[in-house]
Amino acid sequence: MAEILAALRSLMSSHDPPLHALVVPSEDYHQSEYVSARDKRREFVSGFTGSAGLALITMNEALLWTDGRYFLQATQELTGEWKLMRMLEDPAVDVWMANNLPNDAAIGVDPWCVSIDTAQRWERAFAKKQQKLVQTSTNLVDKVWKNRPPAETYPVTVQQIEFAGSSVVEKLKELREKLTNEKARGIIITTLDEVAWLYNIRGTDVPYCPVVHAFAIVTTNAAFLYVDKRKVSSEVISFLKESGVEVRDYDAVSSDVVLLQSNQLNPPADVQGSDLIWADPNSCSYALYSKLNSDKVLLQQSPLALAKAIKNPVELDGLKKAHIRDGAAIVQYIVWLDKQMQEIYGASGYFLEGEATKEKKHSGTVKLTEVTVSDKLESFRASKEHFRGLSFPTISSVGPNAAIMHYSPQSETCAEMDPNSIYLCDSGAQVLKGHIALGNAVFPNGTCGHTLDILARLPLWKYGLDYRHGTGHGVGSYLNVHEGPQSISFKPRNVPIHASMTATDEPGYYEDGNFGIRLENVLVVTDANTKFNFGDKGYMSFEHITWAPYQIKMINLKSLTPEEIDWLNAYHSRCRDILAPYLDETELAWLKKATEPASA
């Protein structure tokens, strides 16, 4: 790390103008949460492998900001040259830069890797001391990254209408209606899952996210896809052409944005009083925004964010069926793991209390680790129809490792399974009470997620406990595991929850050095059949679509109310009925035992 920092500081000194600081964000050119190997610049310079964070390098210091999910992980991964800055506890990065860098300081950043909103917020903070944000013409990290992975050339595939539920032509028609309503003649779409959703395409450019590195521009009478053409077969090109989409080179987006601004992008848009270019300030890069006339830009959330989040009936049906198949895989995995832990380690088993009854009896070559059991879970999932891979690296963790919220085990260093420690496999107690409370919530139309967040935390707050992560997020339809714009979190986001959205219900509790607990179900927002309808607002509730049993021996049933126990038993009864057709005789017998009615 010291050599990398020295090389970067040398480039900062020789830059014109010389840079007092260099910002290295986590994001790629599309402001993605998860990025490909060649875009992990922040990880390369800092050694921190978490998905969220920002590195700041000055001539004398190196600082890494990350959120509460990664505090423990960052302390373990950062070397002595780096200082951890805890988001929401330490000063925000723009505040720190404004207060600690000299007057007239030049702060460099690759404008492709920072959003409009972020860059403008920094510029406002810097203005107080005449500091300036400098857009570097090349990425300085790339200059010192000698073995940077090559660009991906994985093929683009079509998401067929039987799974998409809506054609590209239909989606473009609805998008253009929104452009007209906002007096915009074009929109720049940079978010990878929005491009994939709009054009009904998928890819494997980013691990665990079935997306393609691509931009889109849509005008009132044309649509363009900017992608490495080596990825696009003649069949995909024909599909897009029939849908009214022209394929252009990935790098052409820069020059085409300039043409779009002057309405010279062929064919020219039919203006008719609409002269604005729509750009999402939270996802469009500052590099593209800088090519536009700021007076003619509509800075507003992308209309595709909400359209994508509100699932159509085909997408909802697909999600529900996928979770049934996945629930069966989870049960098969737990049955297998339960048997292995008892046979190899003498564990008391899934159902019985008590510590292991004997010493480990395996030889040196027969053992279970966090990675081998995780691989086994993936094999059960892979055996199911329509499996297309995992949506994120499995958090398979034992004992103290389970206290690291986004722990990612590696085969060379992972822990062996321990019959006397909690095993956390990030899917799935006060946590259960909050989980039930949120899942059973009924709330008026127009409610935002941060209003509901408290329901999941109250049982923990009662004892002075909490968790540092959000409680829920949307889930894509064969897209990203984290999907907005909705969220259920302590962080306010003024996005109402709508019917047919998805949301996860995942409270947890993590005790550093000891253990971690998280319960997670995926929910679908539905209209609630309430006795009254105060204010004619309409009311909504949640429908569970995740089916896997809760481990009764891990629950203090005396802490649950009769209503909560009734809910638990009803959920288990549905689990049994829904998953039974997918299980063999031994697995079904295990599930029946795991879902027997509980009582305090």
Side-chain angles (χ1 to χ4, degrees):
M1 291 305 160
E3 291 181 3
I4 295 171
L5 290 174
L8 284 172
R9 285 170 176 146
S10 176
L11 290 176
M12 289 161 60
S13 295
S14 60
H15 190 273
D16 183 19
L19 301 177
H20 295 79
L22 177 69
V23 179
V24 183
S26 298
E27 291 77 15
D28 58 12
Y29 289 7
H30 305 268
Q31 309 308 303
S32 306
E33 176 185 14
Y34 298 105
V35 299
S36 66
R38 69 183 272 103
D39 291 321
K40 293 184 177 181
R41 298 178 177 94
R42 188 227 60 228
E43 178 180 325
F44 170 73
V45 301
S46 69
F48 169 62
T49 62
S51 65
L54 179 146
L56 177 68
I57 300 163
T58 72
M59 286 302 172
N60 303 307
E61 294 184 89
L63 304 97
L64 186 285
W65 275 261
T66 192
D67 63 50
R69 295 173 297 168
Y70 294 110
F71 289 170
L72 181 57
Q73 180 177 333
T75 60
Q76 296 176 351
E77 292 183 342
L78 292 176
T79 58
E81 297 95 346
W82 287 86
K83 178 181 179 182
L84 172 61
M85 303 295 285
R86 293 170 169 81
M87 290 180 177
L88 301 183
E89 295 181 15
D90 293 320
V93 63
D94 53 332
V95 174
W96 190 95
M97 288 190 288
N99 291 339
N100 291 274
L101 296 176
N103 291 352
D104 302 320
I107 299 111
V109 68
D110 181 345
W112 285 94
C113 297
V114 65
S115 70
I116 302 168
D117 180 71
T118 298
Q120 290 182 337
R121 186 175 69 252
W122 290 353
E123 287 179 330
R124 288 192 296 270
F126 298 163
K128 301 169 188 174
K129 292 173 62 176
Q130 292 76 51
Q131 298 164 331
K132 58 182 179 293
L133 185 66
V134 176
Q135 300 184 38
T136 60
S137 58
T138 58
N139 193 294
L140 301 190
V141 175
D142 294 350
K143 288 190 172 185
V144 304
W145 195 350
K146 296 177 181 177
N147 297 313
R148 187 182 176 211
E152 312 83 2
T153 54
Y154 304 121
V156 176
T157 59
V158 174
Q159 177 77 336
Q160 300 295 340
I161 191 70
E162 63 183 289
F163 299 113
S166 181
S167 70
V168 178
V169 171
E170 290 170 324
K171 293 176 180 179
L172 285 172
K173 181 176 181 291
E174 292 176 3
L175 175 57
R176 288 182 173 123
E177 288 173 357
K178 292 170 183 173
L179 292 180
T180 300
N181 291 340
E182 295 293 339
K183 295 185 171 17
R185 58 179 170 84
I187 182 171
I188 304 167
I189 303 160
T190 61
T191 307
L192 297 183
D193 62 338
E194 290 186 1
V195 175
W197 179 86
L198 176 65
Y199 290 154
N200 283 349
I201 56 174
R202 299 294 189 269
T204 54
D205 287 356
V206 179
Y208 308 103
C209 303
V211 294
V212 183
H213 281 138
F215 297 96
I217 291 177
V218 176
T219 68
T220 53
N221 57 1
F224 306 94
L225 172 68
Y226 299 87
V227 64
D228 184 338
K229 288 185 176 180
R230 293 175 297 174
K231 303 175 184 178
V232 189
S233 67
S234 57
E235 291 81 7
V236 174
I237 289 177
S238 295
F239 162 78
L240 291 168
K241 185 176 181 180
E242 290 169 5
S243 303
V245 180
E246 180 182 337
V247 178
R248 296 193 172 185
D249 288 319
Y250 181 84
D251 293 334
V253 70
S254 290
S255 56
D256 276 9
V257 165
V258 175
L259 293 174
L260 176 67
Q261 173 62 59
S262 57
N263 201 21
Q264 297 179 52
L265 184 59
N266 285 321
D270 185 9
V271 178
Q272 293 184 342
S274 302
D275 199 30
L276 297 175
I277 305 301
W278 195 330
D280 189 327
N282 291 308
S283 59
C284 183
S285 72
Y286 204 47
L288 289 177
Y289 174 74
S290 299
K291 300 177 185 300
L292 299 170
N293 178 351
S294 60
D295 293 334
K296 297 291 186 178
V297 179
L298 173 64
L299 289 177
Q300 191 167 286
Q301 178 181 279
S302 166
L304 299 183
L306 192 60
K308 174 170 56 65
I310 299 175
K311 306 294 185 273
N312 64 48
V314 171
E315 290 173 319
L316 286 175
D317 183 62
L319 280 165
K320 291 176 182 180
K321 288 178 178 176
H323 277 278
I324 291 172
R325 294 191 295 269
D326 196 64
I330 290 288
V331 169
Q332 291 169 332
Y333 169 63
I334 299 175
V335 171
W336 172 84
L337 183 60
D338 189 21
K339 185 171 184 289
Q340 294 295 308
M341 290 299 294
Q342 291 183 63
E343 290 183 353
I344 298 175
Y345 295 94
S348 57
Y350 185 91
F351 301 105
L352 299 177
E353 300 283 354
E355 296 192 353
T357 56
K358 57 194 172 205
E359 294 295 321
K360 298 177 185 178
K361 67 178 184 180
H362 67 71
S363 68
T365 57
V366 180
K367 66 179 182 179
L368 299 179
T369 70
E370 294 166 327
V371 168
T372 59
V373 298
S374 173
D375 290 344
K376 186 67 175 181
L377 172 56
E378 184 173 355
S379 73
F380 281 118
R381 285 179 158 140
S383 69
K384 301 296 182 278
E385 184 183 17
H386 301 311
F387 178 76
R388 291 294 181 271
L390 301 178
S391 59
F392 63 96
T394 300
I395 303 170
S396 175
S397 48
V398 175
N401 289 340
I404 303 172
M405 291 186 199
H406 281 208
Y407 173 74
S408 180
Q410 305 300 315
S411 56
E412 303 83 9
T413 58
C414 67
E416 184 176 357
M417 299 297 284
D418 183 346
N420 295 321
S421 295
I422 288 178
Y423 169 62
L424 170 65
C425 187
D426 187 274
S427 49
Q430 306 298 359
V431 174
L432 177 61
K433 289 177 73 72
H435 178 77
I436 294 173
L438 177 58
N440 287 344
V442 177
F443 47 93
N445 220 331
T447 299
C448 297
H450 68 267
T451 306
L452 301 176
D453 182 75
I454 190 175
L455 297 176
R457 296 181 191 271
L458 273 176
L460 286 167
W461 285 359
K462 181 178 177 182
Y463 294 93
L465 301 173
D466 204 349
Y467 49 93
R468 290 191 173 104
H469 57 83
T471 300
H473 54 81
V475 176
S477 178
Y478 186 38
L479 279 171
N480 293 350
V481 66
H482 291 161
E483 179 177 84
Q486 76 275 26
S487 71
I488 301 173
S489 174
F490 55 89
K491 300 176 183 177
R493 183 180 291 185
N494 192 29
V495 177
I497 293 176
H498 295 262
S500 297
M501 279 183 169
T502 56
T504 59
D505 175 5
E506 47 177 311
Y509 177 68
Y510 296 82
E511 193 167 288
D512 290 356
N514 289 319
F515 64 88
I517 297 171
R518 176 124 37 147
L519 298 177
E520 178 172 1
N521 278 10
V522 175
L523 314 172
V524 171
V525 184
T526 62
D527 293 319
N529 184 22
T530 54
K531 184 176 181 180
F532 302 104
N533 184 18
F534 182 80
D536 291 326
K537 295 179 178 180
Y539 285 74
M540 294 182 289
S541 59
F542 292 116
E543 172 190 355
H544 285 257
I545 64 171
T546 299
W547 304 108
Y550 300 92
Q551 190 172 11
I552 296 298
K553 84 171 188 179
M554 294 290 289
I555 302 171
N556 179 1
L557 292 168
K558 292 181 180 179
S559 72
L560 300 184
T561 65
E563 293 78 13
E564 289 167 338
I565 292 177
D566 287 345
W567 179 89
L568 178 65
N569 289 334
Y571 175 83
H572 274 169
S573 177
R574 290 206 66 196
C575 264
R576 194 165 53 245
D577 294 342
I578 288 171
L579 299 182
Y582 298 85
L583 305 175
D584 65 24
E585 185 176 340
T586 300
E587 294 160 349
L588 182 56
W590 183 95
L591 180 61
K592 286 180 177 179
K593 186 174 182 181
T595 56
E596 289 175 351
S599 59

